[in-house]
């Protein structure tokens, strides 16, 4: 099944870091309170969202050698959480980010298939890879897979999982390749949606090509209209080059939405939320991550520190700074920016961490989103809630009706599976 009609999809998105106002809750462990997620899931379903999407974290983040308690440092197991949420909803889909680098394809296929089957075909897999030795240390395999091998390994991992999903219950699946040599038996009946929906988020040419060969949804970072349109056009060209229809991939950039009765009120609310989440401590910690030293004395409304970073090159990541970063080069670049533009530390961090957002009245935001949909720049928005558990209510109650009035948002779920509700084609099974 496929639909040529252009319409907007919403997916609830949970990024890393302190992106929520937890309704003035004092205990950070409320992050693991299932009722917080149930509230968001039910609100999303009331708003006819296609899915909830959860990121992955396979090791606690660290900062200056200690566990970083100024951000959300861990993640509930997505599939365990989604099994709970599927039992409390009827139509909403659930997309779990699962890493191929440190997982077994037979075990992963069985876990995903279990939740997909129990939910009636409402599960998707956001396939990710890593070359991160710091994360890999949790699996006693730090850095075992070179960067150049990540996608080749992921391709084989995916092939095994999909052959297991496509086989009849109890059927024997054999595979012999560069990374896996195995015989497995399919543990469950096929999904009612044919196969779990595959998402991908790679930005490199290699990642885009991987998505064009295999994915049915892709998460992007482009929300400027011209850039988003260019990305969408590029992905459609790649799809056709790999022998797939140009409309077989759903594109989801991430964004927040802040609504007000007036443009001024919406901007004021957005600024309030930004200041509530980007505290002085968070601002300074961004600089500390590059400088590699305690800068608790630093005034966030003053200049960058005069001292240089501790190291010229970072040899491992701590969950915040990329392994390819060069601290001295980064510090020099930041100093040039602040000098040229007269920025404080806070203003620099704001610029470096600017997130995509739609801010305005419900009608104004609906007009902008409608423009994106008609331009073919996107198929959906990964919507970040600004509070828990009521973070989607404003969008559901005020924005969704405006989008429906413009004919770019559905008025009911078209089906019961994630594949149906995304308007995707049926799956053609592989030979086992």
């Amino acid at each position: 099944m496929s639909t040529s009609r252009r319409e907007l999809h919403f997916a609830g998105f949970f990024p890393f870091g302190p992106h929520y106002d937890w309704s003035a809750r004092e205990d950070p462990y409320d992050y693991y309170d299932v009722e917080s997620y149930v509230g968001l899931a039910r609100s999303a379903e009331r708003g006819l969202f296609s899915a909830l999407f959860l990121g992955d974290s396979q090791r606690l983040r660290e900062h200056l050698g200690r566990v970083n308690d100024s951000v959300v440092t861990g993640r509930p197991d997505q599939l365990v959480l989604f099994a709970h949420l599927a039992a409390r909803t009827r139509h909403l889909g659930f997309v779990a980010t699962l890493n191929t680098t440190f997982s077994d394809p037979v075990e992963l296929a069985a876990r995903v298939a279990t939740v997909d089957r129990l939910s009636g075909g409402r599960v998707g897999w956001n396939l990710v890879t890593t070359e991160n030795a710091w994360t890999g240390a949790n699996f006693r395999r730090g850095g075992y897979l070179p960067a150049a091998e990540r996608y080749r390994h992921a391709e084989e991992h995916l092939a095994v999982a999909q052959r297991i999903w496509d086989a009849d219950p109890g059927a024997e699946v054999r595979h012999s390749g560069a990374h896996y040599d195995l015989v497995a038996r399919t543990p469950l009946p096929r999904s009612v949606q044919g196969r779990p929906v595959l998402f991908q988020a790679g930005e490199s040419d290699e990642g885009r090509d991987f998505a064009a060969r295999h994915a049915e949804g892709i998460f992007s970072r482009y929300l400027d209209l011209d850039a988003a349109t260019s990305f969408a056009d590029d992905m459609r060209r790649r799809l056709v080059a790999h022998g797939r229809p140009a409309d077989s991939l759903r594109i989801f950039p991430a964004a927040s939405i802040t609504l007000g009765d007036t443009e001024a009120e919406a901007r004021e609310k957005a600024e309030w939320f930004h200041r509530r989440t980007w505290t002085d401590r968070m601002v300074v910690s961004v600089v500390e991550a590059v400088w590699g030293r305690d800068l608790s004395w630093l005034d966030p409304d003053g200049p960058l520190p005069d001292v240089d970073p501790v190291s010229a090159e970072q040899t491992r990541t701590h969950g915040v700074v990329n392994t390819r970063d060069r601290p001295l080069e980064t510090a020099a670049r930041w100093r040039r920016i602040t000098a040229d533009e007269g920025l404080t530390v806070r203003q620099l961090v704001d610029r470096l961490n600017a997130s995509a957002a739609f801010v305005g009245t419900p009608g104004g935001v609906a007009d902008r989103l409608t423009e994106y949909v008609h331009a073919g720049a996107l198929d959906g928005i990964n919507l970040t809630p600004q509070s828990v558990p009521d973070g989607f209510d404003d969008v559901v109650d005020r924005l969704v009706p405006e989008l429906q009035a413009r004919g770019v948002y559905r008025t009911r779920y078209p089906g019961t599976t994630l594949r149906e509700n995304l308007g995707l084609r049926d799956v053609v099974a592989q030979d086992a």
Side-chain angles (χ1 to χ4, degrees):
M1 188 271 288
S2 178
T3 177
S4 58
R5 173 179 175 239
R6 290 205 180 278
E7 65 177 11
L8 182 71
H9 298 266
F10 281 133
F13 173 51
F14 299 87
F16 294 107
H19 294 282
Y20 322 108
D21 171 18
W22 286 88
S23 300
R25 297 183 183 186
E26 295 294 331
D27 187 353
Y29 286 100
D30 282 343
Y31 188 79
Y32 299 93
D33 175 13
V34 71
E35 293 304 320
S36 295
Y37 288 99
V38 169
L40 286 168
R42 286 181 166 169
S43 178
E45 188 165 71
R46 184 168 60 85
L48 304 175
F49 284 28
S50 295
L52 289 185
F53 163 52
L54 193 65
D56 188 28
S57 180
Q58 298 186 322
R59 178 168 171 169
L60 293 178
R61 292 185 175 195
E62 294 175 13
H63 180 66
L64 301 182
R66 300 182 298 275
V67 171
N68 188 345
D69 62 353
S70 66
V71 300
V72 176
T73 53
R75 294 277 173 175
D77 183 281
Q78 301 99 311
L79 293 175
V80 174
L81 174 62
F82 288 163
H84 281 277
L85 297 182
R88 309 280 288 272
T89 54
R90 295 183 60 193
H91 295 91
L92 187 66
F94 302 99
V95 182
T97 302
L98 302 169
N99 195 310
T100 59
T101 306
F102 301 113
S103 66
D104 177 86
V106 178
E107 184 267 347
L108 183 145
R111 291 176 62 221
V112 173
T114 298
V115 183
D116 186 63
R117 187 74 189 181
L118 293 175
S119 68
R122 292 190 278 146
V123 168
W125 172 20
N126 177 36
L127 184 154
V128 297
T129 68
T130 185
E131 61 181 287
N132 185 340
W134 178 80
T135 297
N138 259 12
F139 299 87
R140 300 183 182 180
R141 288 185 291 168
Y144 88 101
L145 193 64
E149 282 291 312
R150 284 187 300 150
Y151 278 109
R152 286 191 284 271
H153 173 266
E155 197 121 18
E156 190 174 339
H157 189 291
L158 173 63
V160 173
Q162 289 184 332
R163 291 183 67 193
I164 289 172
W165 291 335
D166 290 346
D168 293 329
E172 189 176 90
V173 174
R174 293 180 177 271
H175 176 88
S176 181
H179 297 280
Y180 297 104
D181 189 0
L182 56 86
V183 178
R185 290 195 181 275
T186 303
L188 294 168
R190 285 197 72 198
S191 167
V192 296
Q193 63 173 337
R195 187 191 291 161
V197 177
L198 187 71
F199 283 76
Q200 211 267 337
E203 168 56 25
S204 64
D205 277 343
E206 192 174 17
R208 291 189 188 194
D209 273 336
F210 185 93
R213 288 194 301 274
H214 302 293
E216 296 158 296
I218 187 169
F219 300 122
S220 86
R221 60 185 180 87
Y222 300 103
L223 207 59
D224 172 81
L225 183 58
D226 289 341
T229 302
S230 177
F231 176 78
D233 289 343
D234 178 61
M235 290 309 306
R236 292 179 187 121
R237 284 192 297 269
R238 292 174 193 254
L239 286 164
V240 172
H242 287 290
R244 298 178 63 194
D247 66 347
S248 56
L249 184 71
R250 302 291 175 261
I251 300 173
F252 280 79
S256 63
I257 294 176
T258 305
L259 304 174
D261 291 335
T262 65
E263 294 285 339
E265 180 186 306
R267 288 194 298 270
E268 184 179 346
K269 287 171 63 176
E271 178 65 19
W272 176 89
F273 172 74
H274 178 79
R275 292 298 172 226
R276 187 172 175 87
T277 51
W278 278 96
T279 62
D280 290 357
R281 183 179 176 197
M282 280 300 303
V283 169
V284 171
S285 72
V286 172
V287 182
E288 288 179 330
V290 173
W291 261 251
R293 62 172 82 227
D294 181 356
L295 299 174
S296 55
W297 49 266
L298 186 66
D299 179 4
D301 295 307
L304 287 166
D306 293 332
V307 295
D308 284 330
V310 170
S311 174
E313 181 174 338
Q314 289 160 331
T315 56
R316 65 179 196 147
T317 180
H318 294 264
V320 176
V321 181
N322 193 283
T323 54
R324 289 179 292 276
D325 282 347
R326 301 291 184 266
L328 289 178
E329 295 176 13
T330 299
R333 184 175 72 254
W334 287 6
R335 283 172 172 150
R336 285 195 299 271
I337 293 171
T338 56
D340 291 345
E341 302 180 25
L343 302 181
T344 65
V345 170
R346 190 189 307 278
Q347 290 167 335
L348 172 70
V349 171
D350 283 351
R351 170 176 160 169
L352 296 171
N353 292 277
S355 58
F358 290 95
V359 179
T361 64
V365 171
D367 285 340
R368 290 182 61 201
L369 288 170
T370 299
E371 180 184 8
Y372 278 72
V373 173
H374 287 166
L378 52 78
D379 298 287
I381 295 290
N382 276 337
L383 180 62
T384 307
Q386 294 186 340
S387 62
V388 175
D390 56 356
F392 295 139
D393 289 349
D394 226 19
V395 168
V396 171
D397 295 331
R398 305 183 67 190
L399 180 59
V400 164
E402 295 282 351
L403 293 167
Q404 290 169 332
R406 288 158 176 75
V408 295
Y409 199 85
R410 59 186 166 217
T411 56
R412 62 179 178 83
Y413 282 107
T416 60
T417 70
L418 178 58
R419 185 172 299 279
E420 289 174 313
N421 290 331
L422 287 172
L424 294 168
R425 287 172 169 77
D426 294 334
V427 172
V428 178
Q430 304 175 23
D431 293 331

